[in-house]
Structures are given as structure tokens and as C-alpha cells.
Amino acid sequence: MGLLISSATAQSQTTPIAALLPIIDQLPAQEQASRLLQSAIQGEKGALAAIETRVPTWFGRIGNWTQLQYKVSAALNASDLEVRVAAVEITLAAHKIAKTPAEALAPD
């Protein structure tokens, strides 16, 4: 697994995010959120859309909030408002906070 993570990191320097999504999708929710949020902070095209489609699958599955919190803090201070929204969405998913009554009543 270390090789997969190292490979994804090395490729992310030159490969568009869309090409890395199959690799990112194999990672745990925590790592997916971290990598995609970092890409969004850096302004990589497609990162915000990737976060938007994956956030529902991360609901309650992000285990180590402390590690992700630093990136979320950076994203909340980004000049791009969409990056800020992504940080809020990830925070809600990590803490199992439903946005609507229907989500709150949905089974786990």
C-alpha cells in the first residue's frame, strides 16, 4: 500500500487530478479527503467536483480528524469560496453532521 500512496504522490506533480481519481478511490476515506482537499487548495482543476461527488461516501468514515484538520483550516482561509465550501462539507461528513432532516433520519 505504501507503494500505491507514493505512486499517487509522485504522479500528482504532473498528472491532472482526473487521471489520479482511480488511484485515489482505492485509498481510505481519510486519505481521499486529504488529497483532494490539498488539490483543491492548490487550484487543481476537477478537485472540487471530485470532492463534491465523494463527500456523501465519507460521511462518518473519516477517522483521524486531527490529521485532516490542518488542511481544512487552510481551506477555510482560502481565497476561493468554493474551496471553503469543500472544507465545510468535509467537516460535516467527518463529524457525521447531517445537513437536512432527511439525511439525519437516513439509516447508516
Side-chain angles (χ1 to χ4, degrees):
M1 180 120 169
L3 179 59
L4 177 66
I5 293 170
S6 298
S7 174
T9 302
Q11 289 177 352
S12 68
Q13 303 300 323
T14 58
T15 307
I17 195 71
L20 294 175
L21 290 177
I23 295 170
I24 291 172
D25 285 341
Q26 294 176 15
L27 299 173
Q30 168 87 28
E31 192 64 27
Q32 289 179 27
S34 179
R35 288 179 184 275
L36 290 173
L37 189 57
Q38 183 64 41
S39 296
I41 291 167
Q42 294 172 343
E44 292 183 34
K45 185 177 180 179
L48 291 169
I51 291 170
E52 183 179 0
T53 60
R54 286 161 180 79
V55 160
T57 67
W58 299 336
F59 192 81
R61 293 182 51 221
I62 295 175
N64 189 347
W65 174 249
T66 305
Q67 283 184 332
L68 190 56
Q69 187 174 2
Y70 296 108
K71 287 185 183 171
V72 168
S73 293
L76 288 171
N77 290 303
S79 58
D80 185 337
L81 293 179
E82 291 181 352
V83 173
R84 293 181 187 185
V85 169
V88 170
E89 294 286 341
I90 290 170
T91 300
L92 293 173
H95 295 291
K96 301 181 190 177
I97 300 172
K99 295 188 301 184
T100 65
E103 288 177 352
L105 297 174
D108 288 340

